[in-house]
Amino acid sequence: MAVGREEVEVVKPRSDKREYRRIVLENALEVLLISDPDTDKCAASMDVGVGAFCNPEGLDGLAHFLEHMLFYASEKYPVEDSYSKFIAEHGGRTNAFTSSRHTNYHFDVNVDSFEEALDRFAQFFIKPLMSPDATMREIKAVHSEYQKNLLLDSRRMNQLQKHISEESHPYHKFSTGNWDTLEIRPRAKGLDIRNELIKFYKENYSANLMHLVVYSKENLDEIHSLVEDKFQEIRNTDKSSSRFPGVPCSSKHLQILVKAVPIKQGHKLRVIWPVTPEIQHYKGGPCGYLGHLIGHQGEGSLFYVLKTLGWAMSLFAGEGESYWEFAFFTVEIDLTDAGHEHVQDIVGLLFKYIILLRQSGVCKWIFDELSALCETKFHYQDKIPPIQYVVNVASNMEIYPPEDWIVGSSLPCEFNPGTIQVVLDKLSPDNVRIFWESKSFEGSTDMVEPWYGTAYSINRISASTIQEWISSSPDVNLHLPAPNVFIPTDLSLKISEEKINLPVLLRKSSYSTLWFKPDTAFSNPKAYIKIDFSCPHASNSSETVLLADLFMGLLMDYLNEFAYYARVAGLYYNVHHTNTGFQVTVVGYNHKLRILLEKIIKKIATFEVRPERFAVIKEVVTKDYQNMKFQQPYQQAEYYCSLILRDDTRPWTEQLEVLPAIKGEDLTNFLPLMLSRTFLEFYIAGNIERGEAESIVQHIENTLFHGSQPICQPLYPSQHLTNRVVELGTGLSHFYCTEGLNPSDENSALVHYIQVHRDDIVMNIKLQLFALIAKQAAFHQLRSVEQLGYITMLKQRNDYGIHGLQFIIQSTVKGPGAIDLRVEEFLKMFESKLSQMTNEDFKSNVNALINMKLEKHKNLREECAFYWKEISDGTLKFDRRETEVEALRQLTQQELLDFFNDYVKVGAARKKTLSVRVYGSLHTSEYTTDKNQPVQPSLIQIEDILSFRRSQPLYGSFKGACGRVKL
């Protein structure tokens, strides 16, 4: 055989029934084949060992630009965008990303279309076409992506860290690219960017630098043959793998304190050390060990102390950016206002904890505990969608030996105190870089980062200065964590005698309902519990909404030091605010899940407001509300759309207005009222028995509703809350115009929403099929051809069972009013395409949608999310997918055309539209013009959202009174 095959036993989870084979093609392309007879989707990922570090001097962003260009067309498939169109119309997704060292391309698709999809994918790396026209258009797309990220603090601070490094090192480079680096500067030098692109591709994209993962339903021999057929033509130039010797930070980039001005409110501290990369000792996990201890949040930890002092809101520690030659260990702390005033003390305490670790020595029991946790996590990991799996594995292939391609560094098993000590020794005052972000530095900086415009200044800090900070920091009781009592020891599976394939209503009372579904699909020792607290008093004013918000924040805060151990051991919990009260979710290994759940419920039942923590959480909530104005314009447009449509939403500006006057005693007085009338809706699923589920519900009812002084009473029938949606007027177009909340943001955005129907199986499948057919066409026309903006999407919208379509576009090129017209032009153009669609294409799209619907849930969380949506909306169509598949099999092409003509096409008699337009700073003049356009009978301008909402009819709710659900 023309293909090399080395027998390698790949380390895989014990429960993994998939088969693996490593092969090397004649052109030196290294491939991992994965056979999964149970899969509903096939997938592939090609990882090319060429990234932003390889950009030629003066052509920043070229590798990223090339990634964009390969999607357009190839010599074998010359029709532009035909690859993405094929994938979308056969139930799949496709994407790519460029990192410093790699570029990764990936897709998934329905099983019956995999061979052709793989052939189209392979052409990226054989003979792509990079037409001059497409080249110029895609530079604009790269620039639009850059503009989208300009005001994102994460991007700005990451680039600032790169900027303050050796200019000769590739780490210093600007990786994304923009119009300046890909058009203006090359043209000024007399360079043709397309020629440079082709040259870069030919010089760097060599088969010996590529790693491919192919995931299919077929057996290994069949996949083997398929891969050999599709990928053997990729050129191999025997190019050497790029190496980047040296370190990015010399002595002048160490022992520095950088003060930077972020976009958002808040203060953040990043303490960073260059260290030996963990990949060089991945089985010993030195950074994982140290990150576990420095980032711990239990009693005696650095975070526990900072939190007790009122100085910190969150803390992360671990290896951040990592490469083969160098890496950075990072401690990132979100500071309170008080913490911002005590940064020297905080840095001192951090180094005190590091000194404690040195004095304690490397502890074998801690390593063993971590190793056992990692082993359990690896062997009982949830199955994830194939597209995610192939990306993860392909990204590992250049880094690890073949036997560890799947496990990577997730199984530290070799206790080596020496390698941990080497990294620990690097965490020293003379090796540190401190980045301190705060709006309070505005006006006091003297430098500007060139790519994102971040204002900053640099101060030198000596090791002796940090020693002074250590000496003057508070005298506190820092100590190592205690052994973790939440580590599961019973991982047995509970075998259910009755096969319950859909959720059943096990129990109903005036206090609660219990929906139950045992695990019949995943054979994993995990459970999922969600409790919805319906509390009418939690949402009857902006003030009560805000108080409920503060309660959730405090509750999570109080639970943290206890529940952090559970999180480390694979038990996750969340408490979050809803429009009708709040929800508690606990998911993970079932063995000790009930201990955590009962602790949460007890905390709710015995809740007291601690004034010092209330002040901190109020500060956190205040900043969250203040920072909402810095959301991306398209996110603002989606928010206004929900505010217009959903009767249960309130403007966040009202909460921000109320917030300053709220005091701790207000929350103390509010809590008994909020909980006084409560209804609980439970969903319990996974490795758990019926009797145990009922026992959990009974215990919680006893805690909250019974006893000598119950804190809750059942709801009156009139108090059961429903979520209702505005019914837009038939044949009418509504629009709402507003200026963007951040005057510095040049981007504008449009949400063009078409409301269609109240949940109905036949109408659902017509809408879904149209969206499947139109999605890629809309992206290609509005983004690739017209280049309106990087964020361009067509997707379905479902508000509590009210279905529709929405176009979402963010742009600096055109204002929202002009984009609205382009959306309508697209629909006019697509009308002819839809009417001319062949019967064969129609059936192909129907089959693609059927295959998507028959796709099995991958894991317990995914399954629970699907069924909980039915419960929370009140639709209760647990067999929805099977019923919709049956309806799809009966659907005719004419029925789809009639649907389009009735509800979607421009001027359709039954069409209902809402355009939400957010105007960025480049389009303020258009905002004035569009707001003052002449009124037309079928065009309704929404001047005041709440007045409009109150004046409109509402769709009936599926939820109804819980008492009406039949047992």
Side-chain angles (χ1 to χ4, degrees):
M1 184 176 282
V3 177
R5 176 177 157 193
E6 179 187 334
E7 292 296 335
V8 173
E9 187 173 347
V10 177
V11 178
K12 65 178 187 177
R14 285 191 284 267
S15 57
D16 187 353
K17 296 180 174 60
R18 293 169 289 206
E19 293 185 328
Y20 299 84
R21 178 185 296 172
R22 172 188 177 268
I23 63 171
V24 181
L25 302 190
E26 272 193 341
N27 59 3
L29 174 66
E30 200 167 14
V31 189
L32 182 67
L33 315 176
I34 305 176
S35 172
D36 181 0
D38 295 327
T39 192
D40 301 302
K41 278 277 203 307
C42 294
S45 174
M46 178 73 88
D47 199 78
V48 185
V50 178
F53 279 5
C54 299
N55 285 332
E57 196 62 41
L59 288 172
D60 289 341
L62 194 66
H64 177 221
F65 179 36
L66 176 59
E67 171 227 302
H68 277 238
M69 286 301 300
L70 294 191
F71 281 81
Y72 268 90
S74 63
E75 199 171 285
K76 185 172 182 180
Y77 299 99
V79 177
E80 192 174 288
D81 202 49
S82 62
Y83 162 77
S84 297
K85 181 174 182 288
F86 181 87
I87 297 291
E89 290 181 352
H90 293 86
R93 297 173 289 165
T94 181
N95 212 334
F97 60 84
T98 305
S99 67
S100 298
R101 296 290 302 268
H102 302 270
T103 307
N104 187 286
Y105 303 84
H106 48 275
F107 75 93
D108 68 0
V109 75
N110 289 337
V111 170
D112 58 2
S113 307
F114 186 51
E115 182 171 354
E116 183 174 341
L118 199 65
D119 191 55
R120 290 172 176 273
F121 180 68
Q123 299 307 310
F124 282 28
F125 315 102
I126 297 172
K127 287 188 178 176
L129 291 180
M130 293 182 253
S131 72
D133 178 52
T135 301
M136 290 311 298
R137 280 187 276 122
E138 205 55 28
I139 291 175
K140 293 176 183 176
V142 170
H143 185 67
S144 178
E145 184 177 357
Y146 164 72
Q147 287 177 305
K148 172 185 76 73
N149 297 328
L150 267 175
L151 299 179
L152 296 181
D153 281 327
S154 57
R155 293 277 184 157
R156 294 163 68 87
M157 297 307 161
N158 179 258
Q159 189 61 43
L160 180 59
Q161 289 169 41
K162 290 171 176 287
H163 182 65
I164 305 173
S165 67
E166 285 293 338
E167 290 186 25
S168 60
H169 196 283
Y171 177 75
H172 180 84
K173 291 181 178 180
F174 169 54
S175 58
T176 307
N178 60 16
W179 185 256
D180 186 44
T181 67
L182 297 172
E183 170 57 20
I184 295 175
R185 293 187 186 188
R187 189 177 292 277
K189 294 178 182 176
L191 297 176
D192 182 310
I193 194 65
R194 179 171 175 268
N195 290 342
E196 295 300 318
L197 195 67
I198 293 168
K199 178 183 171 186
F200 183 80
Y201 177 83
K202 287 181 176 178
E203 287 180 355
N204 291 282
Y205 272 48
S206 175
N208 71 304
L209 297 183
M210 299 181 184
H211 293 88
L212 175 68
V213 180
V214 177
Y215 188 115
S216 177
K217 198 179 186 75
E218 309 303 325
N219 65 49
L220 289 173
D221 288 338
E222 289 170 314
I223 308 171
H224 193 145
S225 176
L226 188 64
V227 167
E228 185 177 8
D229 178 51
K230 304 300 181 190
F231 292 91
Q232 62 185 351
E233 290 181 49
I234 298 176
R235 288 179 316 114
N236 177 22
T237 62
D238 282 323
K239 181 173 172 60
S240 299
S241 180
S242 298
R243 288 284 176 254
F244 305 98
V247 292
C249 297
S250 63
S251 58
K252 68 180 178 182
H253 305 116
L254 301 174
Q255 292 185 282
I256 57 171
L257 171 62
V258 180
K259 295 179 180 179
V261 182
I263 297 296
K264 291 185 174 182
Q265 295 290 339
H267 322 284
K268 194 181 287 284
L269 186 68
R270 288 185 177 90
V271 185
I272 301 170
W273 297 268
V275 295
T276 306
E278 180 151 305
I279 182 60
Q280 295 182 17
H281 306 284
Y282 69 95
K283 291 192 175 179
C287 288
Y289 174 93
L290 293 170
H292 167 69
L293 293 174
I294 297 171
H296 208 280
Q297 296 183 16
E299 188 177 343
S301 68
L302 173 64
F303 178 70
Y304 179 84
V305 166
L306 295 178
K307 180 181 153 184
T308 303
L309 291 166
W311 293 351
M313 298 179 287
S314 69
L315 186 149
F316 159 83
E319 190 177 51
E321 288 184 276
S322 177
Y323 309 88
W324 181 260
E325 299 88 354
F326 67 93
F328 295 100
F329 188 94
T330 300
V331 177
E332 184 176 307
I333 307 171
D334 279 315
L335 306 172
T336 61
D337 290 343
H340 178 62
E341 301 300 322
H342 287 273
V343 159
Q344 294 181 6
D345 288 327
I346 291 170
V347 173
L349 287 170
L350 167 58
F351 277 103
K352 268 188 179 175
Y353 195 83
I354 291 168
I355 291 167
L356 167 70
L357 294 182
R358 290 201 182 103
Q359 292 171 344
S360 304
V362 179
C363 300
K364 188 172 189 302
W365 77 265
I366 293 176
F367 181 87
D368 289 345
E369 184 180 272
L370 265 178
S371 181
L373 285 168
C374 290
E375 186 172 3
T376 302
K377 182 178 180 180
F378 178 71
H379 287 296
Y380 294 97
Q381 63 185 271
D382 290 336
K383 201 170 184 181
I384 59 175
I387 191 169
Q388 295 176 26
Y389 194 65
V390 295
V391 169
N392 293 348
V393 177
S395 300
N396 282 345
M397 287 174 70
E398 189 191 21
I399 305 171
Y400 301 98
E403 62 269 21
D404 290 330
W405 280 348
I406 293 169
V407 67
S409 59
S410 61
L411 272 186
C413 53
E414 297 175 0
F415 179 61
N416 189 331
T419 59
I420 296 173
Q421 192 64 49
V422 166
V423 177
L424 183 57
D425 289 343
K426 293 283 187 182
L427 308 187
S428 65
D430 56 6
N431 192 43
V432 75
R433 288 155 57 90
I434 301 175
F435 289 79
W436 182 8
E437 304 158 33
S438 174
K439 295 283 272 189
S440 68
F441 298 141
E442 270 181 324
S444 62
T445 57
D446 56 1
M447 287 180 271
V448 176
E449 190 280 316
W451 297 111
Y452 289 85
T454 304
Y456 72 100
S457 61
I458 301 179
N459 298 101
R460 304 296 306 178
I461 45 166
S462 65
S464 59
T465 299
I466 292 179
Q467 194 58 53
E468 289 172 13
W469 295 355
I470 296 170
S471 301
S472 62
S473 64
D475 185 16
V476 293
N477 182 24
L478 292 167
H479 59 78
L480 297 179
N484 194 331
V485 298
F486 278 103
I487 295 175
T489 54
D490 180 0
L491 296 165
S492 61
L493 299 179
K494 302 175 191 294
I495 308 301
S496 175
E497 294 182 8
E498 48 182 344
K499 290 298 177 187
I500 302 174
N501 294 317
L502 297 174
V504 294
L505 185 62
L506 267 195
R507 172 188 170 113
K508 176 173 72 86
S509 70
S510 59
Y511 310 110
S512 69
T513 54
L514 166 59
W515 295 96
F516 172 71
K517 185 189 176 298
D519 177 13
T520 56
F522 310 114
S523 300
N524 225 338
K526 295 179 181 178
Y528 179 103
I529 298 177
K530 186 180 282 290
I531 313 168
D532 183 76
F533 285 71
S534 181
C535 307
H537 295 298
S539 56
N540 57 17
S541 72
S542 289
E543 186 175 14
T544 59
V545 167
L546 180 59
L547 287 165
D549 242 359
L550 290 163
F551 165 64
M552 303 308 129
L554 272 172
L555 181 61
M556 289 289 285
D557 185 74
Y558 292 172
L559 287 165
N560 190 62
E561 52 260 28
F562 172 82
Y564 182 78
Y565 283 94
R567 201 183 333 152
V568 170
L571 259 180
Y572 304 96
Y573 72 100
N574 187 38
V575 184
H576 74 274
H577 193 185
T578 67
N579 290 331
T580 56
F582 63 99
Q583 287 178 359
V584 173
T585 308
V586 185
V587 58
Y589 302 112
N590 57 276
H591 180 206
K592 298 181 179 179
L593 181 145
R594 187 164 178 173
I595 298 170
L596 177 60
L597 178 63
E598 290 183 0
K599 178 75 171 183
I600 295 169
I601 297 302
K602 184 179 179 182
K603 211 58 149 172
I604 293 170
T606 59
F607 191 91
E608 291 181 358
V609 177
R610 300 180 203 160
E612 75 284 358
R613 295 313 298 165
F614 174 82
V616 170
I617 298 304
K618 180 180 174 181
E619 182 186 321
V620 173
V621 171
T622 301
K623 286 172 183 168
D624 286 344
Y625 277 115
Q626 289 172 336
N627 286 328
M628 290 187 81
K629 70 179 182 182
F630 298 114
Q631 286 183 318
Q632 294 264 322
Y634 81 92
Q635 294 170 319
Q636 294 176 35
E638 289 184 291
Y639 158 74
Y640 290 124
C641 194
S642 293
L643 194 60
I644 291 167
L645 292 173
R646 295 185 174 189
D647 193 47
D648 58 356
T649 52
R650 295 179 184 277
W652 63 264
T653 48
E654 289 185 3
Q655 277 98 62
L656 186 57
E657 192 178 324
V658 169
L659 195 45
I662 296 288
K663 297 182 174 61
E665 47 266 37
D666 297 322
L667 183 55
T668 298
N669 296 332
F670 165 72
L671 277 171
L673 176 66
M674 180 181 80
L675 294 170
S676 64
R677 293 287 171 180
T678 301
F679 184 82
L680 307 178
E681 191 148 32
F682 290 83
Y683 180 67
I684 300 181
N687 192 42
I688 203 159
E689 292 167 338
R690 173 194 288 252
E692 190 180 355
E694 291 181 305
S695 167
I696 288 169
V697 173
Q698 187 62 59
H699 173 81
I700 293 172
E701 282 188 4
N702 289 343
T703 303
L704 299 177
F705 291 95
H706 305 309
S708 57
Q709 292 183 312
I711 61 170
C712 300
Q713 293 183 43
L715 298 186
Y716 294 117
S718 62
Q719 288 182 298
H720 283 272
L721 299 173
T722 56
N723 300 315
R724 301 187 66 185
V725 176
V726 166
E727 184 174 2
L728 297 175
T730 303
L732 298 177
S733 296
H734 308 77
F735 73 99
Y736 174 71
C737 299
T738 186
E739 290 184 284
L741 296 170
N742 180 7
S744 301
D745 200 329
E746 297 180 342
N747 291 281
S748 293
L750 168 77
V751 170
H752 181 100
Y753 169 68
I754 303 170
Q755 191 176 72
V756 182
H757 67 286
R758 189 171 183 264
D759 192 58
D760 171 87
I761 292 297
V762 175
M763 287 293 285
N764 291 352
I765 55 132
K766 292 175 183 177
L767 178 69
Q768 293 161 11
L769 185 59
F770 172 78
L772 175 68
I773 296 168
K775 180 180 177 181
Q776 187 59 34
F779 180 85
H780 177 63
Q781 179 61 34
L782 300 173
R783 201 269 214 178
S784 300
V785 176
E786 299 187 29
Q787 284 296 329
L788 293 179
Y790 179 76
I791 294 174
T792 301
M793 59 187 96
L794 167 61
K795 63 181 187 179
Q796 298 168 65
R797 182 181 177 112
N798 178 0
D799 298 278
Y800 311 128
I802 309 306
H803 296 261
L805 289 164
Q806 56 184 0
F807 291 83
I808 301 171
I809 301 171
Q810 182 167 293
S811 177
T812 55
V813 178
K814 291 184 183 293
I819 297 173
D820 221 348
L821 295 175
R822 299 314 309 156
V823 169
E824 296 212 333
E825 284 303 312
F826 166 76
L827 288 172
K828 289 175 186 175
M829 179 191 74
F830 194 72
E831 182 180 345
S832 60
K833 286 192 175 182
L834 198 62
S835 60
Q836 293 165 16
M837 184 170 57
T838 65
N839 188 50
E840 183 182 351
D841 281 345
F842 172 76
K843 287 182 177 177
S844 174
N845 280 291
V846 167
N847 289 334
L849 187 55
I850 287 173
N851 288 336
M852 290 166 71
K853 289 190 170 298
L854 293 177
E855 192 177 335
K856 296 184 288 289
H857 297 299
K858 301 292 178 295
N859 53 58
L860 182 63
R861 283 179 189 251
E862 191 180 299
E863 181 189 82
C864 291
F866 177 83
Y867 291 130
W868 179 254
K869 173 73 173 162
E870 296 292 335
I871 293 166
S872 62
D873 283 353
T875 42
L876 302 181
K877 292 176 182 171
F878 298 129
D879 60 349
R880 176 180 296 277
R881 298 192 300 178
E882 294 78 8
T883 311
E884 289 183 346
V885 164
E886 194 54 43
L888 268 169
R889 297 190 199 281
Q890 310 300 320
L891 187 69
T892 67
Q893 190 169 350
Q894 187 58 50
E895 286 175 315
L896 179 64
L897 277 171
D898 291 343
F899 167 81
F900 175 80
N901 291 330
D902 287 346
Y903 295 98
V904 180
K905 89 180 242 187
V906 176
R910 302 172 73 177
K911 188 171 183 179
K912 300 180 282 191
T913 64
L914 167 63
S915 292
V916 177
R917 305 171 183 176
V918 174
Y919 294 76
S921 60
L922 289 180
H923 304 116
T924 48
S925 60
E926 293 173 45
Y927 167 68
T928 306
T929 305
D930 290 351
K931 266 189 78 74
N932 296 323
Q933 63 182 287
V935 177
Q936 300 169 24
S938 61
L939 190 63
I940 296 173
Q941 181 172 181
I942 300 171
E943 297 279 1
D944 178 83
I945 290 178
L946 298 180
S947 297
F948 170 78
R949 200 170 75 185
R950 282 190 289 265
S951 70
Q952 299 301 300
L954 302 175
Y955 281 102
S957 170
F958 285 97
K959 191 73 174 173
C962 293
R964 294 182 186 173
V965 178
K966 292 185 178 179
L967 188 61

